[in-house]
Amino acid sequence: HATRRQWVWVKLGHSPLAKALEHLHTLAVLSTDKPKANSLHALSEAYQHTGHRVDLAALRALAELERTTDRAAVIAALRSIYRPWLSEQAERVQALVAQEELPTPTAQGALVGTPGTCILFVDGLRWDLGTWLQQRVQHYGMQAALQARWSGLPSVTATAKPASSPETAQN
């Protein structure tokens, strides 16, 4: 269906599934690449390099759709392709956390900005959405850099925010 994405119907918004298929294809291809990480650091690096693109492809596939029937079709595809990948990633993190502790905020170092730098702390901003935000900021001619840090577990506001906020991490 790749050629269909060039048709006028797509530009008019009448072929959302053709657009969603592009993201499902990306997801299917990228989710076959399983990281051979044997440490949390290596797993983090693999996710930052490729893994986040699987999550972003799933979000983009769903974002193309408005009709319930179209969403149901894409959700069914995601359940068969994306859910096993998610489960495997979660199990891998759990296995690695059982072998080594997550780095503490102190061990990860303080977040320090230089003059002219804005540190944006967003509770729950995932790497996939962070890369999307970075691209949007750069599109408008600004510089943007991403830095990964482990959050507290569980990664809910009451635990993660005090553990990783620039204000409290230095105190």
Side-chain angles (χ1 to χ4, degrees), residues 47-48 51-60 62 82 85-86 122-134 146-149 155:
Y47 184 79
Q48 291 170 55
H52 76 280
R53 294 174 52 207
V54 177
D55 287 332
L56 191 57
L59 290 174
R60 286 183 169 164
L62 289 169
Y82 186 48
W85 182 85
L86 282 174
V122 180
D123 188 16
L125 182 65
R126 299 174 355 176
W127 194 261
D128 56 337
L129 298 176
T131 59
W132 176 84
L133 180 59
Q134 179 187 34
L146 296 177
Q147 178 184 355
R149 295 176 64 89
S155 59

Side-chain angles (χ1 to χ4, degrees), residues 65-152:
L65 310 168
E66 292 181 15
R67 293 186 352 203
T68 303
T69 54
D70 293 342
R71 289 184 74 78
V74 170
I75 288 170
L78 289 173
R79 282 190 178 129
S80 67
I81 302 168
Y82 186 48
R83 181 181 272 175
W85 182 85
L86 282 174
S87 293
E88 188 172 324
Q89 298 305 306
E91 290 169 7
R92 188 73 188 130
V93 169
Q94 291 170 2
L96 290 171
V97 167
Q99 295 173 9
E100 61 183 288
E101 290 186 19
L102 285 174
T104 64
T106 304
Q108 295 180 79
L111 295 173
V112 180
T114 58
T117 299
C118 172
I119 296 175
L120 174 64
F121 173 81
V122 180
D123 188 16
L125 182 65
R126 299 174 355 176
W127 194 261
D128 56 337
L129 298 176
T131 59
W132 176 84
L133 180 59
Q134 179 187 34
Q135 291 170 357
R136 298 295 303 156
V137 165
Q138 290 172 338
H139 174 78
Y140 290 103
M142 294 178 275
Q143 294 179 356
L146 296 177
Q147 178 184 355
R149 295 176 64 89
W150 287 99
S151 71

Side-chain angles (χ1 to χ4, degrees), residues 6 9 19 25-26 29 33 36 51 55 84 93 122-123 129-130 148-151 166 169 171:
Q6 306 307 315
W9 302 114
K19 291 178 73 178
H25 176 261
T26 299
V29 169
D33 183 25
K36 312 293 188 282
D55 287 332
V93 169
V122 180
D123 188 16
L129 298 176
R149 295 176 64 89
W150 287 99
S151 71
N171 294 334

Side-chain angles (χ1 to χ4, degrees), residues 41-54:
H41 176 74
L43 187 64
S44 174
E45 291 287 323
Y47 184 79
Q48 291 170 55
H49 183 262
T50 306
H52 76 280
R53 294 174 52 207
V54 177

Side-chain angles (χ1 to χ4, degrees), residues 32-43:
T32 61
D33 183 25
K34 308 289 192 256
K36 312 293 188 282
N38 57 1
S39 71
L40 288 170
H41 176 74
L43 187 64

